[in-house]
């Protein structure tokens, strides 16, 4: 996608679906996202749980910012909130123009923190960053992709 | 206490999937399947299948030479 060493922007944001998405609506969203991201050299991941979206986007800064503006105008979801943004030179999701997973609901927490919930903890950015890393590991394992070194 | 000692800190990424970190560095994970709790190191090498989540987490802690038990590694 992007040559090594080129500065990229990584953004994690959350939003809420204005209504529960059907499988066909999610599929349509992914088709649109993947086409747009391919054209903009953007890679990333979409998670969906309980009518809530979490999305990780990474790519050239200008394209990522344009995309975030577009997402803010998309009337299929609301309450778009930036959770974390960083400048980076390495992609986490280079293999995916938009990876996707519907997340199972935790049946039992066993006393552990939830990475999904930690993403939206504005009081502790360390928890947010750790949750991004943990969900990246989870997604790559589920996708049979190599783990980051 | 050994000044080099740090516990594995666990977080639930999804129901049945637990990610372990030490000082923010990924050290392995436990993935739960119908046949048990599968422990893996940071390179995704399998460390065994265990009847309990605690045993799988302890295996990973022992694998990396930690002297902690799993309870001390619980976050939150």
């Amino acid at each position: 996608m992007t040559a090594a060493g080129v500065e990229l922007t990584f953004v994690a944001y959350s939003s809420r679906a204005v209504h529960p998405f059907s499988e066909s609506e999610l599929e349509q969203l992914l088709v649109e996202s993947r086409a747009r991201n391919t054209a903009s050299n953007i890679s990333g991941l979409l998670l969906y749980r309980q009518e809530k979206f979490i999305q990780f986007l990474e790519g050239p800064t200008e394209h990522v910012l344009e995309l975030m503006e577009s997402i803010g105008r998309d009337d299929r979801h609301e309450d778009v909130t930036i959770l974390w943004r960083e400048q980076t030179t390495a992609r986490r999701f280079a293999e995916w123009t938009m990876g996707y997973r519907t997340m199972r609901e935790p049946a039992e927490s066993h006393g552990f923190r939830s990475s999904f919930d930690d993403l939206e903890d504005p009081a502790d950015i360390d928890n947010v960053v750790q949750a991004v890393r943990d969900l990246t590991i989870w997604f790559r394992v589920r996708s049979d992709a190599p783990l980051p070194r | 206490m050994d000044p080099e000692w740090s516990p594995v800190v666990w977080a639930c990424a999804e129901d049945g999937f637990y990610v372990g970190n030490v000082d923010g560095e990924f050290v392995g994970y436990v993935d739960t399947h119908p046949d048990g709790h599968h422990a893996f190191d940071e390179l995704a090498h399998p460390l065994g299948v265990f009847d309990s989540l605690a045993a799988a987490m302890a295996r990973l802690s022992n694998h990396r030479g930690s002297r902690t038990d799993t309870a001390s590694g619980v976050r939150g």
Side-chain angles (χ1 to χ4, degrees):
Chain A
M1 281 221 160
T2 300
V6 174
E7 187 165 78
L8 307 167
T9 289
F10 176 91
V11 169
Y13 78 88
S14 67
S15 65
R16 183 171 295 281
V18 294
H19 63 80
F21 267 46
S22 65
E23 285 299 319
S24 62
E25 286 175 308
L26 282 168
E27 182 61 32
Q28 178 61 31
L29 180 67
L30 287 168
V31 168
E32 294 171 11
S33 297
R34 286 165 179 158
R36 177 195 61 207
N37 291 352
T38 297
S40 300
N41 196 21
I42 288 174
S43 49
L45 168 64
L46 177 68
L47 305 174
Y48 183 62
R49 191 182 81 170
Q50 279 190 320
E51 299 167 35
K52 181 169 285 188
F53 292 106
I54 296 286
Q55 194 162 26
F56 301 155
L57 299 170
E58 58 193 7
T61 298
E62 181 181 350
H63 292 173
V64 170
L65 296 181
E66 288 173 356
L67 178 54
M68 286 308 302
E69 285 188 18
S70 173
I71 288 169
R73 295 190 300 267
D74 189 329
D75 59 9
R76 289 173 292 187
H77 54 182
E78 59 192 4
D79 298 334
V80 176
T81 304
I82 302 287
L83 306 172
W84 183 43
R85 174 180 165 178
E86 72 163 355
Q87 301 303 117
T88 181
T89 56
R91 292 178 187 262
R92 293 175 169 83
F93 303 98
E95 301 96 322
W96 296 278
T97 52
M98 187 46 64
Y100 171 70
R101 284 276 169 182
T102 298
M103 303 189 76
R104 297 193 300 257
E105 281 304 300
E108 187 177 356
S109 70
H110 295 285
F112 297 97
R113 299 183 73 110
S114 159
S115 300
F116 196 89
D117 293 340
D118 273 353
L119 279 176
E120 297 187 284
D121 180 6
D124 192 335
I125 190 63
D126 290 340
N127 275 350
V128 175
V129 173
Q130 188 64 61
V132 168
R133 291 174 177 156
D134 292 348
L135 288 168
T136 300
I137 295 291
W138 163 78
F139 180 76
R140 296 190 73 89
V141 168
R142 286 285 181 265
S143 303
D144 293 324
L147 297 181
R149 306 295 287 271
Chain B
M1 180 182 290
D2 184 339
E4 298 298 321
W5 177 85
S6 293
V8 177
V9 176
W10 294 94
C12 181
E14 187 189 38
D15 183 25
F17 193 99
Y18 300 86
V19 180
N21 293 281
V22 172
D23 296 330
E25 182 176 346
F26 172 63
V27 296
Y29 62 95
V30 174
D31 196 3
T32 300
H33 293 275
D35 65 335
H37 303 273
H38 296 236
F40 298 86
D41 69 11
E42 75 276 14
L43 300 176
H45 295 151
L47 300 176
V49 182
F50 302 87
D51 290 337
S52 72
L53 177 61
M57 291 177 169
R59 176 69 182 92
L60 182 61
S61 295
N62 293 335
H63 173 70
R64 57 174 296 275
S66 170
R67 291 182 294 170
T68 183
D69 59 38
T70 56
S72 64
V74 172
R75 280 203 291 169

